[in-house]
Amino acid sequence: MADNSIRTELFLPIKLGNISLANRIVMAPLTRSRVNEEGVPNEINVTYYVQRASAGLIISEATNISAQGRGYVMTPGIWTEQQVNGWRKVTDAVHAAGGKIVVQLWHVGRCSHIDIQPGGECPVAPSAIKADCNVYTYIGPQEASMPRALKTDEIPGIIEQYRHAAECAKQAGFDGVEIHSANNYLLEQFLRDSTNHRTDQYGGSIENRARLILEVVEAVTQVWNADQVGIRLSPTTPEVGNSPLDSNVMATYGYLIQQLNKFKLAYLHFVEGATGKNRTIPEGIDLDALRSLFDGPYIGNNNYDLEMAISRHAEGKIDAVAFGRPFISNPDLVERLRYGIELAEVNNDAYYGNGEKGYTDWPKANDF
């Protein structure tokens, strides 16, 4: 039989740090809101991830590192024994199917509501600046609550939440972890001067605002080998919370990336443009120049199609490419891309909730 597959190195193996991938197509983290109130993955989640195990690497949906870190109901956690056991079923099944999976460690910071915070307390943030967004609570969408600024002596406790979650991820059988430092959640809230107005050692200068991220990376890499730890950044996205960009993106993120090089991480994962919306880059910002500062493998993300991925890979601008929404409606996305099979389209109704509908009921191309 003739081999009609598309010829590109994207379908060849690669190593990201010490994580060996069968191909360079990565499943991006996708919040789907299909776990129970305790944040425990169940059998439907096992099915969902196994269906997509042909991806070279699955990055799990954003996963809360603590009860305090949660901003949306029906999102998974990785801090309790029950959550670990639930994720273990997922990782075992993905590995049995020949796949690799890392967990994305998430603390939402100010993007939360008192109704879902422990004891009805205010969300925490670098500074008491309200997020301009809705979060999903037990009674539906509500405006994010006014946060309180973390006290300096509370910050070691935040770092400990990341360290503990990293330990739990190891127990759950993941192949590594990705530190979620993007989309204006807690770590990026500390990094940007638009959301960080602190005057202690975690605010003011670029070095101070990057401090928490680097301390979290240090803590996580004491649990995992650094070559099994990735990080996600989003220098030019206003989401979530409609947060203004840092006043000096090139200097701030340039400094951070150069400091990250000291850890020799598995990969850097960039949101190129505005998350899920467009690839428009503000004047004076050069994401490729920032990317080139990183010494290790680079995953490009945001509104890619195969043609763009092939082109940017050929130009040496990406080592792997992450697809998000196409993986929702195409569990066999790698095969469809490789053989030029038409992609199924997804609509917004399938994104969140609804059980199996729009989650595990998408047919593979050979099911027709």
Side-chain angles (χ1 to χ4, degrees), residues 168-190:
C168 290
K170 211 165 208 182
Q171 296 168 22
F174 284 98
D175 296 292
V177 298
E178 176 176 288
I179 297 168
H180 193 352
S181 187
N183 294 0
N184 303 311
Y185 292 116
L186 183 68
L187 294 183
E188 193 166 44
Q189 290 163 22
F190 267 85

Side-chain angles (χ1 to χ4, degrees), residues 146-352:
M146 184 70 180
R148 68 171 181 84
L150 282 160
K151 298 176 183 177
T152 306
D153 62 8
E154 291 181 291
I155 291 180
I158 298 292
I159 298 168
E160 172 58 22
Q161 290 177 24
Y162 279 95
R163 191 207 62 76
H164 175 68
E167 288 275 12
C168 290
K170 211 165 208 182
Q171 296 168 22
F174 284 98
D175 296 292
V177 298
E178 176 176 288
I179 297 168
H180 193 352
S181 187
N183 294 0
N184 303 311
Y185 292 116
L186 183 68
L187 294 183
E188 193 166 44
Q189 290 163 22
F190 267 85
L191 184 63
R192 292 187 180 185
D193 55 11
S194 63
T195 47
N196 182 344
H197 294 175
R198 302 176 72 90
T199 57
D200 64 358
Q201 64 264 41
Y202 292 93
S205 68
I206 291 173
E207 292 81 2
N208 282 356
R209 287 183 279 114
R211 188 184 307 276
L212 179 58
I213 297 174
L214 297 173
E215 289 180 345
V216 166
V217 172
E218 182 174 8
V220 171
T221 55
Q222 289 174 356
V223 176
W224 288 84
N225 291 333
D227 57 10
Q228 292 173 280
V229 177
I231 190 166
R232 192 186 203 205
L233 305 178
S234 59
T236 59
T237 186
E239 299 291 332
V240 173
N242 196 27
S243 302
L245 302 187
D246 187 81
S247 64
N248 192 337
V249 167
M250 296 300 291
T252 297
Y253 290 82
Y255 169 81
L256 174 61
I257 291 168
Q258 289 173 316
Q259 295 303 305
L260 290 172
N261 283 332
K262 298 177 181 179
F263 294 95
K264 301 187 185 304
L265 299 178
Y267 63 82
L268 171 64
H269 178 193
F270 247 25
V271 178
E272 300 169 354
T275 304
K277 292 184 177 179
N278 59 64
R279 294 180 58 82
T280 302
I281 308 298
E283 187 176 352
I285 299 174
D286 185 344
L287 293 186
D288 283 336
L290 287 176
R291 170 201 56 77
S292 68
L293 295 175
F294 187 67
D295 291 340
Y298 172 75
I299 302 174
N301 181 316
N302 200 32
N303 285 330
Y304 272 82
D305 57 22
L306 183 60
E307 182 179 1
M308 182 191 302
I310 291 173
S311 173
R312 284 181 58 78
H313 183 269
E315 294 168 359
K317 293 180 177 178
I318 62 171
D319 296 292
V321 57
F323 291 94
R325 284 170 294 183
F327 262 114
I328 292 178
S329 51
N330 299 276
D332 55 345
L333 180 65
V334 175
E335 292 79 7
R336 288 180 184 247
L337 293 175
R338 185 168 191 171
Y339 293 100
I341 301 170
E342 184 178 1
L343 301 186
E345 295 294 329
V346 66
N347 59 56
N348 292 356
D349 294 340
Y351 286 177
Y352 310 114

